[in-house]
Amino acid sequence: NAGVTQTPKFRILKIGQSMTLQCTQDMNHNYMYWYRQDPGMGLKLIYYSVGAGITDKGEVPNGYNVSRSTTEDFPLRLELAAPSQTSVYFCASSLDGSSYNEQFFGPGTRLTVL
Amino acid sequence: QQPVQSPQAVILREGEDAVINCSSSKALYSVHWYRQKHGEAPVFLMILLKGGEQKGHEKISASFNEKKQQSSLYLTASQLSYSGTYFCGTVDILTGGGNKLTFGTGTQLKVEL
């Protein structure tokens, strides 16, 4: 199993550009999450999904959009990039919504907006 | 409001012990602990549930005081590989459905020879 994979690993965007961060998991997990981690800080939840076709906002959703058309994929879209979105983005998955299940994290995407 | 961790940073010599604390202002259902090495993804260490159930690695121990909304992670006989930043993630009773974690401020641990 590859676990949770993310692409790209690094990206530099200009202000106002758009991009999609890709996330795929091969563990047949129902729940998937997007977090951002600013330098020296903890992770903050952007969006999450409880299954294909169902998504909901987390703590910091402004400026982002998500979709989930399959169990495996959970892309994160930035429509109009701003310098405040410079961060490391982590995708994670868990088997279900039980608090007994740990989250598995992808390697992250380091995004810089200039 | 994110959980507060203490200490913010600690330096150990190999073989020494450490305790990392996590405190929340909300009633908690569970506390998760993760370790993150520089430039890498967080890795799961431990889950502690309200009611006493635990799940995690054999060499890691932790406690959860449900009344005080506090958890502590105990690292004994530290090894160089223990170095990294430790995060607690909490699931609060009122809004925590869906295993949504609110991560703490982090504790940087460095183990030296």
Side-chain angles (χ1 to χ4, degrees):
Chain A
N1 284 351
V4 180
T5 56
Q6 293 182 236
T7 57
K9 290 185 178 179
F10 303 94
R11 183 72 185 267
I12 298 175
L13 282 182
K14 293 182 179 179
I15 295 172
Q17 286 186 321
S18 301
M19 77 163 294
T20 299
L21 283 67
Q22 302 291 343
C23 174
T24 300
Q25 55 92 8
D26 63 358
M27 297 175 283
N28 203 30
H29 284 176
N30 290 312
Y31 280 61
M32 296 186 74
Y33 312 82
W34 273 106
Y35 295 92
R36 60 175 288 171
Q37 184 177 34
D38 297 333
M41 305 292 286
L43 293 89
K44 294 192 175 182
L45 183 64
I46 305 172
Y47 272 96
Y48 70 102
S49 169
V50 304
I54 306 171
T55 63
D56 203 352
K57 297 177 181 178
E59 183 184 357
V60 289
N62 291 344
Y64 308 94
N65 278 302
V66 293
S67 59
R68 185 137 179 236
S69 57
T70 66
T71 299
E72 295 78 19
D73 301 308
F74 189 39
L76 178 71
R77 178 90 178 153
L78 282 71
E79 290 293 349
L80 292 170
S84 61
Q85 293 178 306
T86 293
S87 190
V88 180
Y89 291 84
F90 289 100
C91 178
S93 72
S94 65
L95 178 61
D96 54 32
S98 165
S99 290
Y100 192 68
N101 289 318
E102 66 268 40
Q103 295 186 15
F104 294 83
F105 285 81
T109 294
R110 187 174 298 273
L111 176 67
T112 302
V113 182
L114 300 174
Chain B
Q1 195 169 6
Q2 65 183 147
V4 176
Q5 291 183 229
S6 62
Q8 285 188 311
V10 59
I11 299 175
L12 299 175
R13 291 200 180 276
E14 200 172 24
E16 291 182 336
D17 302 338
V19 179
I20 300 173
N21 302 300
C22 173
S23 181
S24 175
S25 60
K26 300 181 178 181
L28 299 178
Y29 183 75
S30 68
V31 180
H32 299 215
W33 286 96
Y34 288 81
R35 178 172 60 215
Q36 184 179 30
K37 293 185 180 288
H38 184 69
E40 299 181 7
V43 174
F44 166 73
L45 294 176
M46 191 80 152
I47 292 173
L48 303 103
L49 293 170
K50 183 178 170 64
E53 200 168 1
Q54 293 189 1
K55 172 183 176 181
H57 296 285
E58 292 179 357
K59 296 186 177 181
I60 301 287
S61 64
S63 64
F64 178 22
N65 186 324
E66 299 169 30
K67 290 184 179 179
K68 292 186 176 181
Q69 315 307 330
Q70 293 175 347
S71 177
S72 295
L73 184 70
Y74 305 99
L75 303 172
T76 57
S78 60
Q79 304 172 15
L80 294 176
S81 61
Y82 286 12
S83 294
T85 301
Y86 289 76
F87 291 101
C88 65
T90 58
V91 178
D92 70 77
I93 289 175
L94 287 180
T95 62
N99 202 18
K100 299 196 299 289
L101 295 174
T102 301
F103 281 91
T105 50
T107 295
Q108 293 184 19
L109 178 77
K110 185 176 182 181
V111 181
E112 299 177 336
L113 288 170

